[in-house]
Amino acid sequence: MTFDEEYFNIGRLDRLSYQDTIIHHLDPRAKLIATMLFLFTVISFPKYEVVALVPFFLFPVILMTMGDIPVLFILKKVLIVSPFAVFIGIVNPFLETRTIAVIAGYSLSAGWASFLSILLKFTLTVSTALLLIATTSFPGICHALRRLGVPPLFISQLLFLYRYLFVLMEEAMRIVRARDLRSFGTRGTGMKVVVRLIGTLFVRTVERAERIYSAMLSRGFRGDILSLRHSSLAWSDLVFVTSTIVFLAVFRLFRVTEGIGDLAQELFR
């Protein structure tokens, strides 16, 4: 994959947020509150819990279905950052060898249970966070945080970080294209050339940041970024948040999966 393709792939999440679906029309504050409740609920499970986490995959699946978000796209994003979760839990099977369950004649150690729990929690939290951005947009999330009482300075920093990430990528893309036009074969690919390119990118970034900041001050910037889009909570937003709370409470407070398993055993006896 070329540098240009990677650049346009970064903004795909933001482009998905402008679709016309039921989930996209919900108030950003409702989606943000529901997502935060989901994340805290998933994280609250004990480290050896595996089976009880499986029903929580219904939440991201419903969001992807109703929000018309490509499943493979979200899975690829999750797989890209999955090595971090694997690195965190890969040593657990070697440190905790005591048996905590026997499944179909095979013993499950505490280390493997905690490792699987880490992977499930990681997949659930990362996929749900990506779906929040894909159905709301990062600026929409920032403005929702602002309306929920988060300090404006913090929101401005987040918006600048997101906005000028693409500006930085554009500058890097221009430098890489210029290098490609001036090189042939393996020329221009050495470490010295890479270090010079990074230095050039840094200088251009500083100069452009100074010009942008001066332009913002001349236009009256005082530390808070306002939005022209104003949204209000509707009945659909309250229904969405309430349904999420009920869903989380049922699968967190009650052993639904164990009940289904016991019922299945009774039926097949």
Side-chain angles (χ1 to χ4, degrees):
M1 186 173 287
T2 64
F3 187 87
D4 294 0
E5 291 174 341
E6 285 289 351
Y7 168 75
F8 289 110
N9 190 36
I10 291 177
R12 188 178 178 186
L13 273 176
D14 189 69
R15 293 193 297 272
L16 288 173
S17 65
Y18 295 98
Q19 295 186 114
D20 186 14
T21 66
I22 298 175
I23 301 298
H24 287 77
H25 289 167
L26 293 174
D27 190 279
R29 289 171 293 177
K31 288 182 281 188
L32 180 61
I33 292 172
T35 301
M36 295 302 296
L37 291 174
F38 178 84
L39 297 182
F40 284 126
T41 303
V42 170
I43 296 173
S44 68
F45 276 93
K47 66 176 182 177
Y48 299 122
E49 194 63 68
V50 177
V51 178
L53 290 170
V54 175
F56 286 87
F57 279 95
L58 287 173
F59 186 76
V61 168
I62 291 174
L63 289 181
M64 280 189 287
T65 304
M66 299 183 66
D68 194 21
I69 306 299
V71 179
L72 292 179
F73 175 73
I74 298 298
L75 289 178
K76 289 179 181 178
K77 293 295 184 182
V78 174
L79 288 175
I80 290 174
V81 294
S82 60
F84 294 100
V86 175
F87 179 77
I88 291 173
I90 193 62
V91 297
N92 289 8
F94 303 99
L95 298 177
E96 299 180 279
T97 57
R98 61 185 178 87
T99 302
I100 61 173
V102 178
I103 303 174
Y106 296 94
S107 59
L108 178 66
S109 66
W112 280 110
S114 61
F115 180 50
L116 293 175
S117 179
I118 289 173
L119 292 181
L120 289 177
K121 290 178 180 178
F122 172 82
T123 304
L124 286 169
T125 53
V126 173
S127 61
T128 305
L130 290 173
L131 288 171
L132 175 63
I133 300 175
T135 57
T136 310
S137 78
F138 191 82
I141 296 172
C142 291
H143 290 302
L145 288 171
R146 179 69 183 91
R147 298 187 67 181
L148 289 174
V150 178
L153 181 61
F154 179 71
I155 300 301
S156 299
Q157 293 297 322
L158 287 178
L159 288 171
F160 288 146
L161 176 64
Y162 179 76
R163 171 64 183 90
Y164 292 106
L165 172 65
F166 296 94
V167 176
L168 180 63
M169 292 292 292
E170 288 176 359
E171 291 288 350
M173 188 164 56
R174 292 191 185 97
I175 295 174
V176 171
R177 286 176 176 173
R179 190 277 311 271
D180 293 340
L181 291 174
R182 290 169 173 82
S183 61
F184 178 77
T186 59
R187 292 183 59 189
T189 57
M191 184 56 64
K192 292 183 178 180
V193 177
V194 174
V195 172
R196 292 175 182 174
L197 292 179
I198 295 175
T200 302
L201 178 62
F202 176 76
V203 173
R204 289 190 180 185
T205 302
V206 173
E207 293 177 349
R208 186 159 185 172
E210 292 177 351
R211 294 197 302 268
I212 292 173
Y213 184 64
S214 299
M216 292 172 61
L217 291 179
S218 65
R219 289 167 174 80
F221 176 71
R222 294 296 180 268
D224 192 5
I225 299 179
L226 303 178
S227 175
L228 297 177
R229 298 179 61 181
H230 297 283
S231 57
S232 58
L233 292 172
W235 283 106
S236 57
D237 303 311
L238 298 178
V239 170
F240 175 71
V241 175
T242 304
S243 302
T244 303
I245 294 174
V246 172
F247 169 80
L248 297 176
V250 168
F251 286 100
R252 182 64 181 89
L253 301 178
F254 303 98
R255 294 290 184 176
V256 178
T257 52
E258 292 184 3
I260 295 175
D262 295 338
L263 180 60
Q265 290 180 359
E266 293 293 335
L267 292 176
F268 288 102
R269 282 181 180 178

